[in-house]
Amino acid sequence: QGSQKRSNSTPETPRPKRTLSSRSPYALFSPNSFSPSATPSQKYVTRSSRGEVVASFGSVQGPSWSGQGGRGCTPKLFGSPEENLTKSYKFMFQKAFDVREVLSWRIEELGDALKSHHHLDDFASVSLPAQEPVTVLGQIGCDSNGKLNAKSAVLEGDREHSSGGQIPLDLSELTEYSLFPGQIVALEGTNSTGKRMVVTKLYEV
């Protein structure tokens, strides 16, 4: 459809008055004009992904349970007490400090794997300025709440070498790359000012 130009309204050429539509409040109110149809559509009725019982075993209508004895028995734990829960436990409850410890251990483990696989030198800190190319270790992050792109990528350094410091990344020197938030990588580049790292090489796990 082409763009419709707004007609100029002048005293010589007045704009024609609009006709009242059936949805207008000035029209006659009726349930047919304002209420949606209660009949489901044909596409919904004829859908093939409905949850239907394809097989059943035994009687499922009103099962009755009965038992005898059991008054004098006492339950015993299998295995050592350290491997069994004997008191109330918060299921799926994690402290932030414990989560951070696991993430830090994971970064160190994958950093050792990167160092041995790519034959890298010792990692440097992301916070210290370096005129020569250095290799740093950390995980990819985003400097905002939006989507990760070439302008918002930051590197959160590991705790051992960088004390968890962050630095923005300049990815213009890389010919190709594929990053996602939380990805653990080793980067080689220059950090002349200590405020932005120009990445020249990317080592992935």
Side-chain angles (χ1 to χ4, degrees), residues 35-200:
S35 301
S37 174
T39 306
S41 62
Q42 284 298 115
K43 186 182 293 185
Y44 180 79
V45 174
T46 58
R47 68 192 189 281
S48 60
S49 60
R50 290 183 289 183
E52 299 177 351
V53 178
V54 295
S56 60
F57 176 76
S59 175
V60 295
Q61 297 294 332
S64 59
W65 300 89
S66 62
Q68 295 179 353
R71 297 176 181 175
C73 61
T74 56
K76 293 183 179 180
L77 288 175
F78 258 139
S80 60
E82 292 81 9
E83 299 177 357
N84 294 282
L85 294 175
T86 57
K87 56 183 179 180
S88 60
Y89 178 75
K90 292 184 178 180
F91 180 66
M92 295 183 69
F93 177 76
Q94 294 175 320
K95 296 181 180 179
F97 181 77
D98 296 338
V99 175
R100 181 60 186 166
E101 286 294 317
V102 172
L103 290 176
S104 300
W105 171 79
R106 189 66 174 164
I107 292 176
E108 293 176 5
E109 183 187 37
L110 293 177
D112 293 338
L114 281 169
K115 186 185 297 184
S116 62
H117 181 71
H118 296 286
H119 306 290
L120 302 176
D121 296 332
D122 198 14
F123 297 114
S125 173
V126 300
S127 304
L128 298 178
Q131 305 299 329
E132 298 295 328
V134 293
T135 306
V136 295
L137 174 68
Q139 61 178 351
I140 299 297
C142 185
D143 63 354
S144 62
N145 293 329
K147 292 184 178 181
L148 181 68
N149 52 46
K151 301 295 182 182
S152 65
V154 298
L155 182 73
E156 182 180 349
D158 62 333
R159 190 170 59 176
E160 181 181 355
H161 303 93
S162 305
S163 301
Q166 287 188 354
I167 187 170
L169 299 177
D170 185 356
L171 305 173
S172 59
E173 297 292 330
L174 295 177
T175 55
E176 59 180 4
Y177 56 87
S178 177
L179 302 174
F180 59 88
Q183 181 180 3
I184 299 174
V185 294
L187 302 175
E188 181 180 316
T190 56
N191 183 14
S192 58
T193 61
K195 296 182 179 180
R196 177 174 291 273
M197 184 171 188
V198 181
V199 183
T200 55

